[in-house]
Amino acid sequence: MDSAAELLKYYEVYETIGSGGFAKVKLGRHILTGEKVAIKIMEKKELGEDLPRVKVEIEAMKSLSHQHVCRLYHVIETNTKIYMILEYCPGGELFDYIIAKDRLSEEETRVFFRQIVSALAYVHSQGYAHRDLKPENLLIDEDHNLKLIDFGLCAKPKGGLGYELMTCCGSPAYAAPELIQGKAYIGSEADVWSMGVLLFALLCGYLPFDDDNCMVLYRKITRGSYNNPHWLSPGSILLLNQMMQVDPKHRVTIRQLLDHPWTMSGYGTPVEWYSTQPLGYIDEDCITEMSVSQKISRQSTLQLVNETLLFDDDDDDDAEDRCYDDDLPWVPLTPQQERATCPSAEKRRDQTKHAPTPEREPIALHHRHQERRDRCRNGPMKTKRTLPWPIRMLIYLLCRPRSPVANRKATRPNKRVLTTPTHNNTNKVGNKVDTPQGGGSTCKDPSRKRPRERVEGKEEEEMEILAFSPERRSRSLDLAGASRGDSSQKRRGGKVFGSLERGLDKVITLLTPSKRRGLRDRPRRIKAQYNVTLTSQTNPDQVLNQILSILPEKHVDFAQKGYTLKCRTQSDFGKVTMAFELEVCLLHRPEVVCVRRQRLKGDSWVYKHLVEDILSTSSI
Ligand code: 6BB
């Protein structure tokens, strides 16, 4: 099947939010539930030696489920492409957040640091080392919580995390000395070093070890020599020193970070590292609720839910029973020990293992069921915090009133549905990818040639057409479905209707203002965001002209679309090294001109320096 068609069965696809060496990430929306998602798109042909990396990432993410690890919801593999459907994190990268604020206070840093420790402790507990920790790989979700991404370089040593690794990978500035020196190393110890560099970046707004010359950088790292700026507290200096110990055996461990005095300060409690959303966790109350509302047996409901889930329950059976034991790999604790160290683990165990069944305790749970029933009626968006996404979707499908088709549209959370996948389709959410086996190492060589910029193919074009705004989507539905009956509803995904729909969309796409944004003769009015630089000027054209005159000086190529400048830098060999956007906008209050900046590709710190340079030289 053609690539985009399979994806578009389930998701609407919106604009690109970023691109890495071999992937493009677009915003998406799950059609049935209206849930926003991030879609990582990889062209198989272009993956080449990176294909094993993708396989590693998919395997790892499939087996991880944690409140601070980005969830992988769905994988679609077609003849030409791999799509990874991932949790949506509208706050973007922690990196951009740091540079927008210059640096974070110790208090704010601690909030984030505890989440990073929690994520890493969990990842290590599952036998993985991340090996590419940096603020670009931590995204901020809608609740301002961090989610760890990019497991393409992670490793799961066969004998456990205590076993040594050899592959040197990750970003040089965050790499531990033992890694740089090509020594055998322990993955978790190397991760702690990177977390030290990350902690420094949070508290200071720049890197502890930095140099344009790689050899000088390596020397600084292997010596472990960095300067502590005057604003760091004695506690922060001590913790950074403990984390960035050149000798990994002298380095603080994750176990010690969980209840380190700096980590605990102001909290009084250790970091909670265990997953509050373990894999295969099925809310038994909801199963009961679903089976009652749909008048099908609990067993069938459970089977349906299991088929919908991406992961096997069995995979996680022992994972839940593992706890930290100092520097040793994770070992199971007795229930008593577990209760002592992770109090809510007991609660979770109660919920998961001895959850009430209708046979056991249906009446006593009446009130909780009522609560769930109310939640169910409110649709899946309201059950957000308690249930994994596929279950919410299923509950929605099963609980929605069986109204006539004409009314059904109004009951959907997402009114922009074009095709209505059947229940069979929803079971496909568990699609698994069988990426070809690939040998070789997962080492990221910084000097390695990156795949060339992808020429946008026809399928991609087709997706761009569908990348319309919600307003447009609604309009196209209204036009197309104005007098639709049940039988035409069935044909909606059909050829004739599909092409008619696409034709309409094309017309609407051409006519709607947002597509003409590039041609606008006035700057956009926006609210203050953290990726916005304020100017002291009131004339947007003047600001635009100042920037335009500076870009050639800084060797930045650009394409102008109204008040947006799509900028690129290239290496001597014509490789695009960086891509970003600068948009001159008007701020609401105070009424001043501002510049919105967005990095699309390239090294974050180089981008930071370049954009700072452009904006300060423009004397805006
Ligand atoms: C992801 C995401 C998830 O993005 C370029 C690379 C999830 C991205 C997101 C966002 C901004 C706004 C809205 C959503 C898993 N892997 C990679 C992901 C990578 C890009 C992040 C931005 N910079 N939500 N979002 F980042």
Side-chain angles (χ1 to χ4, degrees):
M1 191 183 298
D2 101 52
S3 270
E6 181 63 13
L7 178 74
L8 294 170
K9 266 204 289 197
Y10 307 103
Y11 304 94
E12 291 172 356
V13 183
Y14 297 89
E15 74 270 17
T16 300
I17 45 178
S19 60
F22 54 85
K24 183 177 259 187
V25 182
K26 283 181 182 268
L27 285 193
R29 190 190 282 269
H30 182 249
I31 292 171
L32 271 178
T33 57
E35 188 99 9
K36 284 184 184 167
V37 292
I39 306 175
K40 192 164 166 177
I41 305 169
M42 287 150 291
E43 186 90 43
K44 283 184 185 171
K45 251 196 299 183
E46 290 180 6
L47 282 173
E49 63 189 43
D50 284 318
L51 188 62
R53 212 184 129 168
V54 176
K55 195 173 138 49
V56 163
E57 173 157 42
I58 291 173
E59 281 314 309
M61 292 191 83
K62 265 162 122 185
S63 64
L64 298 171
S65 175
H66 186 268
Q67 54 279 18
H68 296 301
V69 175
C70 187
R71 272 307 288 267
L72 171 65
Y73 295 133
H74 189 179
V75 180
I76 297 174
E77 184 182 8
T78 69
N79 291 338
T80 54
K81 289 186 178 152
I82 297 173
Y83 300 103
M84 289 171 71
I85 320 300
L86 295 143
E87 190 171 348
Y88 175 76
C89 304
E93 294 177 10
L94 177 61
F95 176 86
D96 293 310
Y97 188 78
I98 303 171
I99 61 162
K101 291 194 132 191
D102 267 347
R103 62 171 192 260
L104 309 189
S105 68
E106 189 172 312
E107 286 66 38
E108 195 175 8
T109 298
R110 187 170 290 108
V111 174
F112 283 146
F113 186 72
R114 286 176 66 96
Q115 298 185 2
I116 299 166
V117 172
S118 169
L120 260 294
Y122 167 77
V123 168
H124 291 176
S125 79
Q126 302 301 302
Y128 286 100
H130 186 278
R131 303 201 296 181
D132 198 15
L133 284 175
K134 53 183 180 179
E136 294 88 327
N137 284 341
L138 284 154
L139 300 185
I140 302 174
D141 76 3
E142 60 193 348
D143 299 322
H144 206 63
N145 286 319
L146 291 183
K147 305 277 173 167
L148 183 59
I149 60 163
D150 207 342
F151 285 79
L153 294 176
C154 78
K156 190 177 191 181
K158 288 246 157 54
L161 247 196
Y163 278 73
E164 290 177 329
L165 297 160
M166 276 308 292
T167 318
C168 176
C169 48
S171 310
Y174 298 84
E178 64 272 22
L179 227 121
I180 280 179
Q181 289 166 332
K183 294 180 182 165
Y185 66 94
I186 304 289
S188 52
E189 293 171 351
D191 275 350
V192 169
W193 173 281
S194 308
M195 283 166 74
V197 177
L198 212 161
L199 178 63
F200 187 99
L202 286 165
L203 291 167
C204 305
Y206 58 88
L207 291 165
F209 313 103
D210 202 5
D211 206 282
D212 289 340
N213 182 320
C214 264
M215 287 323 290
V216 179
L217 172 65
Y218 288 180
R219 209 171 309 129
K220 285 182 182 173
I221 294 173
T222 47
R223 283 193 194 136
S225 59
Y226 62 91
N227 296 319
N228 290 309
H230 63 86
W231 58 81
L232 288 181
S233 70
S236 300
I237 293 174
L238 178 67
L239 175 59
L240 288 166
N241 178 266
Q242 291 171 327
M243 296 181 81
M244 289 185 279
Q245 278 294 316
V246 173
D247 181 349
K249 297 300 163 213
H250 291 158
R251 212 171 286 156
V252 66
T253 63
I254 288 246
R255 168 70 189 83
Q256 290 164 332
L257 287 175
L258 292 171
D259 56 4
H260 190 282
W262 190 94
T263 321
M264 300 245 292
S265 171
Y267 283 80
T269 52
V271 171
E272 297 186 337
W273 60 267
Y274 45 86
S275 176
T276 55
Q277 41 193 239
L279 274 181
Y281 167 72
I282 290 172
D283 191 318
E284 296 279 343
D285 284 359
C286 271
I287 298 294
T288 306
E289 191 56 52
M290 285 159 74
S291 64
V292 169
S293 84
Q294 293 305 302
K295 299 190 176 59
I296 51 175
S297 74
R298 286 189 85 261
Q299 208 182 353
S300 308
T301 312
L302 201 58
Q303 198 180 332
L304 201 52
V305 170
N306 276 327
E307 281 167 13
T308 309
L309 286 169
L310 181 59
F311 309 101
D312 299 337
D313 293 354
D314 297 343
D315 288 355
D316 200 45
D317 266 4
D318 55 343
E320 230 197 305
D321 296 342
R322 273 177 257 164
C323 250
Y324 247 127
D325 185 14
D326 265 317
D327 293 346
L328 298 169
W330 298 76
V331 292
L333 293 188
T334 64
Q336 289 82 357
Q337 282 172 315
E338 195 176 17
R339 231 172 288 133
T341 48
C342 337
S344 43
E346 178 72 2
K347 206 170 115 215
R348 266 186 305 122
R349 189 186 301 281
D350 282 349
Q351 285 171 344
T352 50
K353 304 247 159 74
H354 314 293
T357 60
E359 297 79 41
R360 211 184 297 154
E361 216 186 351
I363 298 166
L365 285 161
H366 173 79
H367 292 295
R368 274 174 69 196
H369 284 175
Q370 185 58 47
E371 210 180 279
R372 302 238 179 241
R373 218 167 279 135
D374 293 344
R375 258 195 260 153
C376 236
R377 280 201 201 99
N378 289 337
M381 305 301 259
K382 298 279 162 60
T383 61
K384 189 167 176 293
R385 262 156 246 292
T386 48
L387 292 170
W389 169 82
I391 300 191
R392 275 184 281 134
M393 181 185 78
L394 204 77
I395 290 173
Y396 169 68
L397 278 176
L398 295 176
C399 293
R400 70 185 169 164
R402 291 180 175 262
S403 54
V405 171
N407 300 339
R408 213 176 278 167
K409 208 174 86 179
T411 66
R412 283 197 194 105
N414 177 7
K415 300 193 185 80
R416 297 175 299 284
V417 176
L418 274 179
T419 53
T420 312
T422 61
H423 287 213
N424 287 344
N425 280 342
T426 49
N427 288 346
K428 279 194 183 170
V429 166
N431 266 0
K432 292 192 175 177
V433 158
D434 282 317
T435 45
Q437 293 284 336
S441 79
T442 53
C443 175
K444 189 173 102 182
D445 173 1
S447 62
R448 189 179 62 203
K449 193 174 132 314
R450 277 186 187 266
R452 69 184 161 78
E453 276 284 281
R454 182 146 55 91
V455 181
E456 306 274 296
K458 188 168 164 289
E459 285 156 0
E460 197 74 24
E461 243 171 60
E462 225 170 88
M463 275 198 326
E464 297 292 354
I465 293 163
L466 279 164
F468 35 67
S469 67
E471 298 78 32
R472 257 178 285 155
R473 188 58 125 158
S474 317
R475 256 195 284 164
S476 87
L477 230 196
D478 291 346
L479 285 170
S483 59
R484 194 182 295 139
D486 211 346
S487 57
S488 67
Q489 170 94 5
K490 281 190 200 123
R491 271 189 274 122
R492 275 201 301 184
K495 222 174 172 180
V496 175
F497 198 87
S499 64
L500 185 65
E501 187 97 47
R502 260 195 296 278
L504 273 171
D505 282 334
K506 270 186 191 171
V507 175
I508 295 162
T509 301
L510 285 171
L511 295 178
T512 39
S514 68
K515 271 278 159 177
R516 286 191 284 120
R517 196 174 52 197
L519 307 173
R520 58 167 59 241
D521 51 9
R522 268 178 303 148
R524 279 197 309 142
R525 286 190 162 273
I526 60 166
K527 289 193 183 128
Q529 302 158 21
Y530 68 76
N531 59 344
V532 158
T533 303
L534 300 191
T535 73
S536 52
Q537 302 194 23
T538 48
N539 182 345
D541 296 295
Q542 209 173 325
V543 173
L544 186 66
N545 287 335
Q546 277 161 328
I547 298 175
L548 283 171
S549 66
I550 294 296
L551 292 178
E553 248 178 61
K554 305 288 173 197
H555 309 288
V556 176
D557 302 331
F558 62 92
Q560 185 180 355
K561 274 190 172 182
Y563 285 84
T564 302
L565 303 173
K566 291 180 178 292
C567 305
R568 297 198 318 185
T569 58
Q570 292 188 32
S571 72
D572 293 343
F573 309 105
K575 188 182 98 178
V576 176
T577 48
M578 194 145 36
F580 58 96
E581 275 184 18
L582 295 176
E583 183 187 358
V584 175
C585 303
L586 286 171
L587 200 68
H588 266 303
R589 240 170 271 132
E591 286 269 330
V592 287
V593 178
C594 59
V595 182
R596 184 190 61 84
R597 48 197 155 68
Q598 186 174 10
R599 184 174 58 90
L600 294 171
K601 180 181 180 166
D603 182 273
S604 319
W605 295 97
V606 178
Y607 157 81
K608 170 184 157 48
H609 293 137
L610 179 65
V611 172
E612 270 173 6
D613 194 16
I614 293 168
L615 297 182
S616 62
T617 323
S618 310
S619 57
I620 50 174

